[in-house]
Amino acid sequence: MLEKVEEFNMDKVIDEFEEITKDAERVQKETLRKILEDNASAEYLQNLGLNGRTDPESFKACVPLVTHTDLEPCIHRIVEGEGSSILTGKPITTMSLSSGTTQGKPKFVPWNDELFETTMQIYKTSFVFRNREFPIKNGKALNFIYSSKQFKTKGGLFAGTATTNVFRNSRYRCTMKALQSQCCSPDEVIFATDFHQSLYCHLLCGLIFREEVQLVSSTFAHSIIHAFRTFEQVWEELVADIREGVLTSRITDPSVRNAMSKLLKPNPELANLIYKKCMGLSNWYGLIPELFPNAKYIYGIMTGSMEPYLKKLRHYARELPLLTADYGSSEGWIAANVNPKLPPEYATYAVLPQIGYFEFIPLTDNNQEQKQTNKFLIMDPKPVGLTEVKVGEEYEIVITNPAGLYRYRLGDVVKVVGFHNSTPELKFVRRSSLLLTINIDKNTEKDLQLSVEAAGKLLSEDKLEVVDFSSHVDLSRDPGHYVIFWEISGEASEDLLRECCNCLDRSFVDAGYISSRKVNCIGPLELRVVRRGTFQEILDHYLGLGAAVSQYKTPRCVGPTNSKVLQILSENVVKNYFSTAFN
Ligand code: AMP
């Protein structure tokens, strides 16, 4: 294993990436051939009559596009322990639990060693590009990672979130060492069963190793924000632990206590320093560089549904660069950030043609006089290949991976913004499903995000911010109307909140929404302000369902499949306002 660490050669990884991306079309064909050959004996492929053919044309002709729902019967059999070759040649022995925050419940996705390999390939690729611009050496990472429990399904398969499956692989550590991303927390902290205890100890380890910490990271930006918001609340306790060298009694997990006792020694000097730093900060501005003076950057997925957290992240980060991590899912990785200098708002992801076979369903309707992007799921999709996509166009992604997913509609919309050699560079746009629709209106996650951003600007004039938000379509009265839930960082005046409510309503610029609002086919938008801590309660609810904080994404719209979350939100409403924007 150690040999692997030493063998890691940055120039070689860059050269290989350049070679592969220059020949993306051939590499795609080769990748498809290998996937189909390795899995030729799978019942799923056998039934589709490929008869050993591995070329893209036969593949597209025989294999249908599918969604997770289509595959559920097969996945169910695997989960139940039917050990035969159902989706893959070699039977699946482990399942990933995707975050499932959009649907309201986690869903099972097959996992295997090949997916682990692709994960390491993407980590290495983005690392070498990142390290070229922002070199780190012999550093430690304050990495807010949480390995949720791996459990056994009824049929005896291991199941855990994809991140858990990665962290639990013994080769993960080796690779991370080579990537200068050794976590400063011991394994017991990462694998602790209680997330709150784990987070507290991650913070404590970060402070103990503060001089050595060269990067602060997590899978998604949300966890980084969450960690430092928690720091604001527990910092005095952390300082006391460091001063006395004794871990707070709130940490009850014996293995965590034991591991932490090896690191924690009385250090009044460090305690005084951190105390002084915290007292000297104004509203926690610049907290991260103050605590970790040698940190070079902050790293985690910051695009898509993470964009609303950028403002707060910049507040904590001051001048430290924010680098978005790669683009992927429990179903497999897709693309790496090879332009790390771009701020997250402009970030692009270059597809790795060797880690899966990718197709793209065009969402732009070229037949219409005026080009129009179709916000609905296309009914008769005609996907194009990786190297056939066009710059400026939006597509829904279709994945074929080495773990039994063939032509699988991931449900993400991306925009092609350029090419790296012959592989496309993508900008993440949104999840493909519509969030808010009542009548002829079509509003996506992105539309909601923009509306909240516009209204949130009004709050910032009073030094307040939207901590988190969600939405709901209320059809209990006629006409139906949009409900936006806001958790706010402090007390806002009635007038200001009324203004925000009107701004939210006006900021949905979808023509169908505006026209429906004007004739009252959609009722006035309602802003419901919820108590502080409501979104923490929602997070805790998901953790209870087996989700991992590392992969958590706040549900941006709650509907009937998500009744528990709707209940939490509704029970915490403290004020509500109806828009008068269209009166
Ligand atoms: P999960 O379902 O937990 O596996 O999460 C995967 C989903 O997270 C993807 O399908 C995307 O919607 C989102 N995601 C992953 N990486 C990124 C990224 N770099 N930018 C934006 N969204 C992302």
Side-chain angles (χ1 to χ4, degrees):
M1 269 187 199
L2 272 176
E3 268 170 25
K4 275 236 147 35
V5 176
E6 283 154 21
E7 271 170 25
F8 183 70
N9 176 329
M10 306 249 245
D11 293 338
K12 198 166 149 230
V13 175
I14 294 197
D15 290 349
E16 273 171 15
F17 179 74
E18 296 299 340
E19 277 307 302
I20 284 172
T21 51
K22 276 181 193 149
D23 210 3
E25 192 183 345
R26 189 192 57 75
V27 176
Q28 276 285 272
K29 279 189 186 155
E30 191 51 32
T31 306
L32 179 65
R33 185 191 60 72
K34 182 154 185 353
I35 292 176
L36 295 180
E37 270 179 17
D38 287 352
N39 298 297
S41 60
E43 179 188 311
Y44 184 81
L45 290 179
Q46 293 264 323
N47 288 343
L48 293 170
L50 266 172
N51 296 328
R53 284 171 295 167
T54 61
D55 60 289
E57 291 69 34
S58 309
F59 177 63
K60 287 181 197 172
C62 296
V63 179
L65 293 167
V66 290
T67 62
H68 190 271
T69 313
D70 299 320
L71 292 183
E72 261 160 23
C74 289
I75 291 180
H76 181 73
R77 284 170 57 202
I78 299 173
V79 171
E80 289 291 300
E82 213 182 287
S84 56
S85 303
I86 298 172
L87 286 173
T88 45
K90 244 192 308 173
I92 293 288
T93 56
T94 308
M95 281 283 170
S96 284
L97 266 181
S98 88
S99 62
T101 32
T102 14
Q103 282 84 22
K105 64 173 184 353
K107 50 181 198 226
F108 283 117
V109 183
W111 170 265
N112 63 10
D113 287 347
E114 284 77 4
L115 276 192
F116 178 79
E117 287 307 321
T118 61
T119 306
M120 293 304 109
Q121 279 184 34
I122 206 130
Y123 282 10
K124 281 183 194 169
T125 306
S126 59
F127 172 76
V128 289
F129 282 93
R130 201 161 68 240
N131 212 50
R132 207 163 59 168
E133 311 288 355
F134 303 93
I136 49 177
K137 218 163 181 237
N138 301 326
K140 279 195 164 41
L142 170 53
N143 194 353
F144 296 101
I145 54 176
Y146 310 93
S147 172
S148 63
K149 255 190 278 180
Q150 230 180 5
F151 60 93
K152 277 211 169 168
T153 68
K154 248 199 279 169
L157 270 77
F158 285 108
T161 57
T163 39
T164 301
N165 293 336
V166 171
F167 301 154
R168 286 197 178 269
N169 190 307
S170 56
R171 281 192 38 225
Y172 169 73
R173 215 158 307 275
C174 259
T175 308
M176 293 325 269
K177 195 167 180 189
L179 304 189
Q180 307 282 340
S181 297
Q182 253 182 304
C183 191
C184 54
S185 310
D187 281 1
E188 291 80 353
V189 169
I190 299 169
F191 295 109
T193 45
D194 181 292
F195 152 70
H196 300 280
Q197 299 193 23
S198 183
L199 167 55
Y200 184 92
C201 293
H202 274 314
L203 289 168
L204 193 53
C205 292
L207 295 177
I208 294 170
F209 294 107
R210 70 184 284 273
E211 298 279 344
E212 288 162 70
V213 169
Q214 296 211 6
L215 74 130
V216 174
S217 69
S218 191
T219 312
F220 285 98
H222 173 271
S223 315
I224 306 177
I225 293 289
H226 188 264
F228 288 100
R229 281 195 204 280
T230 306
F231 180 89
E232 289 184 26
Q233 276 148 27
V234 301
W235 70 278
E236 283 169 298
E237 210 171 333
L238 290 163
V239 167
D241 288 3
I242 293 172
R243 188 181 308 284
E244 305 298 331
V246 179
L247 190 60
T248 168
S249 58
R250 77 153 82 194
I251 308 299
T252 52
D253 183 326
S255 68
V256 176
R257 286 199 75 84
N258 187 32
M260 289 303 294
S261 71
K262 292 183 188 139
L263 301 177
L264 196 58
K265 302 280 170 296
N267 191 341
E269 206 182 318
L270 178 61
N272 288 343
L273 181 77
I274 295 166
Y275 184 84
K276 244 174 68 195
K277 287 207 174 283
C278 290
M279 291 302 281
L281 288 174
S282 161
N283 197 21
W284 303 101
Y285 176 66
L287 174 62
I288 299 178
E290 285 299 326
L291 294 181
F292 311 107
N294 297 314
K296 304 284 188 298
Y297 54 86
I298 299 174
Y299 185 63
I301 293 172
M302 296 175 188
T303 45
S305 63
M306 297 296 134
E307 262 191 60
Y309 306 116
L310 283 175
K311 194 162 170 248
K312 185 69 178 176
L313 205 48
R314 289 211 167 92
H315 181 84
Y316 284 136
R318 210 167 54 207
E319 75 285 356
L320 268 184
L322 304 185
L323 274 57
T324 185
D326 305 312
Y327 171 37
S329 64
S330 307
E331 288 87 345
W333 286 98
I334 298 159
N337 177 5
V338 296
N339 297 308
K341 276 198 158 165
L342 290 177
E345 289 86 344
Y346 301 99
T348 62
Y349 300 102
V351 180
L352 265 65
Q354 78 278 32
I355 62 176
Y357 184 74
F358 300 103
E359 294 172 77
F360 295 82
I361 300 173
L363 295 185
T364 310
D365 190 347
N366 288 311
N367 297 325
Q368 298 198 5
E369 241 171 57
Q370 258 195 330
K371 273 194 167 186
Q372 200 187 349
T373 297
N374 199 330
K375 287 181 173 177
F376 280 119
L377 274 180
I378 305 274
M379 282 326 195
D380 180 25
K382 303 246 176 329
V384 297
L386 180 74
T387 52
E388 293 165 337
V389 293
K390 295 201 179 83
V391 173
E393 307 283 299
E394 290 190 0
Y395 299 89
E396 189 199 322
I397 286 208
V398 177
I399 294 187
T400 295
N401 80 2
L405 301 182
Y406 308 96
R407 310 197 81 204
Y408 175 97
R409 295 175 77 164
L410 183 60
D412 283 350
V413 174
V414 294
K415 184 173 186 169
V416 176
V417 288
F419 281 87
H420 184 103
N421 296 320
S422 63
T423 201
E425 289 192 327
L426 311 175
K427 200 168 161 46
F428 183 89
V429 179
R430 57 181 168 89
R431 301 284 300 165
S432 61
S433 50
L434 278 181
L435 274 196
L436 297 162
T437 176
I438 291 177
N439 186 14
I440 51 165
D441 52 315
K442 299 174 194 165
N443 280 304
T444 64
E445 180 175 358
K446 187 81 195 170
D447 298 317
L448 171 67
Q449 204 169 299
L450 290 173
S451 168
V452 169
E453 195 179 306
K457 283 203 181 113
L458 301 175
L459 279 183
S460 60
E461 288 163 18
D462 274 17
K463 296 211 167 6
L464 294 169
E465 62 187 352
V466 179
V467 173
D468 223 332
F469 64 95
S470 192
S471 67
H472 169 63
V473 166
D474 186 345
L475 300 173
S476 62
R477 271 176 299 177
D478 200 33
H481 70 283
Y482 291 5
V483 177
I484 311 292
F485 294 96
W486 266 13
E487 181 174 324
I488 306 176
S489 58
E491 279 292 311
S493 72
E494 294 282 312
D495 283 352
L496 179 56
L497 289 169
R498 266 182 231 293
E499 214 187 313
C500 289
C501 179
N502 288 345
C503 181
L504 282 167
D505 203 8
R506 270 196 310 268
S507 302
F508 285 103
V509 290
D510 169 63
Y513 182 74
I514 296 174
S515 57
S516 304
R517 278 286 291 121
K518 279 185 180 159
V519 295
N520 207 33
C521 286
I522 297 179
L525 179 143
E526 183 182 357
L527 169 62
R528 294 187 192 161
V529 179
V530 295
R531 230 173 248 115
R532 278 310 300 270
T534 303
F535 281 86
Q536 170 70 47
E537 210 179 302
I538 295 174
L539 168 68
D540 287 337
H541 160 69
Y542 276 105
L543 297 187
L545 292 179
V549 187
S550 302
Q551 268 170 262
Y552 181 72
K553 299 161 211 75
T554 300
R556 293 295 184 215
C557 184
V558 288
T561 55
N562 228 333
S563 55
K564 179 65 192 166
V565 177
L566 190 56
Q567 190 191 335
I568 298 173
L569 286 166
S570 306
E571 284 170 0
N572 281 293
V573 173
V574 284
K575 294 174 190 164
N576 69 325
Y577 303 88
F578 283 95
S579 160
T580 52
F582 289 84
N583 289 2

